[in-house]
Amino acid sequence: MSQARFASCIPLPLEHKVLVNVIEKAKDWALMHGVGMRDKKHFTKDAIQIAPFVLLPSPFPRTEFTKAIELQTVLNELMHKVAHNEEFLEHTLQNALQVDEFTANLYDIWVKVRNEGITQPISLGMLRSDIMLESRCPHTENQCAKHTPYCSWKQVEINSIASGFGHLGPSVSLGLFRSDYLMHTADQNRIKQVEFNTVAASFGAISSNLPAMSRYILRQLNRGDLIKNMPENRALSGLCSGIIEAYDLFGIPSAVVLFVVEEVSYNICDQRFHEFEISETRPDIMIFRKTLNEIYEETELNDKKQLILDGHPVAVVYYRSGYEPAQYPSSREWDARLRVERSTAIKCPSIHYQLAGTKKVQQALAAAGALERFMGSSAATTRVRDIFTGLYSLDFDENGERAVEMAIADAERFVLKPQREGGGNNLYGEEVRDALLRMRHSRERAAYILMERILPPLVSGYVVRPGAPVPPQVVDLVSELGIFGVIIGTKDKIISNRQVGHMLRTKLADADEGGVAAGLGALDSPYLIDM
């Protein structure tokens, strides 16, 4: 069966002279509006280059876009409840902890702060749900005539730390969430979840500028009539409102906000736009940027368990680093993380939110009866269950053995996912078979989950990259839509819960991974179509 396809919003290819001219204008627009990143090969703090972007906005069904927006607050609440259920997290992670040192270290910090007593019941989560369309139908070998070229979408992940590209007393926990989806031709045109991931709610800052950039490009191509099909995006202000609200809940006017960053920040535009937005909205809020090592050296806990930095109590700690093993090269970084978790600062995410975002937790939520445990038997429960796709445990039990056999027999059908963040960690195709054959009798396999692979519909387009030849060739692309959400509340009460914006990442159709920061994907905007 050939892969399904959407038509581009403008017939391609464009005439050579027109294409060269509009790309030159688009690059200048991108640089002048912060759609950029630092060059990893020739790094300097004095210059940025364009971030990879898709020249024309990519088509996405209007009905599915609306469904994703409407479902976001339901997913916000679900993840909030999961993060606060100690018994569920303990039971779900027990096997992974034996083979995944990074998750075990996070878990040990969680146990320590629980035993010492968590003094603040309030949590803030900012999520992003990522979705992609699926072009295959489970009921027939051909396209579903009713829903061609798709019949549902699947959720890729929910993220809760580092709402990147969104512009783009007691201890309060803060998490930034993002739910990611892929479109899928499953039964009855329903969305399907691929992964819960409460780390890296990226693309909030720069993505807020992408619709304006696409509108500019369409006008330059004399197609301003298409702009009405592009939704507004206020992800940056929406995500920053969560940090500001958490700051106000902390209740100390002299307090500051702390961004945890890497030693070298390539994605500087996206990070800084959050700081600029907060400063513009609330000039009274001071923001510091520190690495985990600098937090270890420059902060202390006072007798009130306040985290003190430069003489100020820290109200909010927002992690733009600290969610991968490589970001903890020594015990100093782990000690800094423990110090932050022990403090009264509002964490984004708190340690239990990060644990709730592991792949094992998402796989466990897809099991029979798991959702009812958190949501009861309700219409909302049915809506969430409808988005789940094939997620399989690799534990040493009957189900795990069955999953291993299934993946070895048909490796192209699956993705093998470890408890890792940041992109580039998943295994595909023959890599899945090779890895499972290697660790079939090793407990190492318990640190992974198996997920059914998605085959999204294609669309033709141009990807503009720094340093690439101009004009680029027309290539086949697939897209991933992200919906942002913010939720604040205690274990027993939701204070606020809202959807705040969206983003779109697009990659070459034959690429397995698609991270923009990793150089594998490109920034994009949805062009809503009626089908």
Side-chain angles (χ1 to χ4, degrees), residues 477-492:
L477 305 169
V478 294
S479 297
E480 179 177 307
L481 175 70
I483 306 295
F484 292 97
V486 171
I487 184 169
I488 302 175
T490 67
K491 183 177 182 180
D492 302 313

Side-chain angles (χ1 to χ4, degrees), residues 19-39:
L19 178 60
V20 171
N21 181 58
V22 77
I23 286 179
E24 180 180 355
K25 291 180 178 180
K27 284 183 174 181
D28 288 345
W29 196 101
L31 287 172
M32 294 176 183
H33 291 81
V35 184
M37 303 175 70
R38 284 174 172 158
D39 188 346

Side-chain angles (χ1 to χ4, degrees), residues 195 359 415-418 420 423-428 431 512-513:
E195 174 177 278
K359 309 299 187 297
V415 180
L416 196 60
K417 292 194 167 190
R420 289 291 179 268
N425 301 302
N426 299 331
L427 300 178
Y428 298 81
E431 292 180 331
D512 287 329
E513 301 283 358

Side-chain angles (χ1 to χ4, degrees), residues 2 61 78 177 190-191 200 227 292 391 395 453 458 474 484 490 494:
S2 61
L78 171 62
F177 296 174
R190 295 181 299 188
I191 56 178
I227 291 174
L292 281 169
L391 294 167
D395 291 341
R453 194 167 184 176
L458 306 174
V474 176
F484 292 97
T490 67
I494 302 299

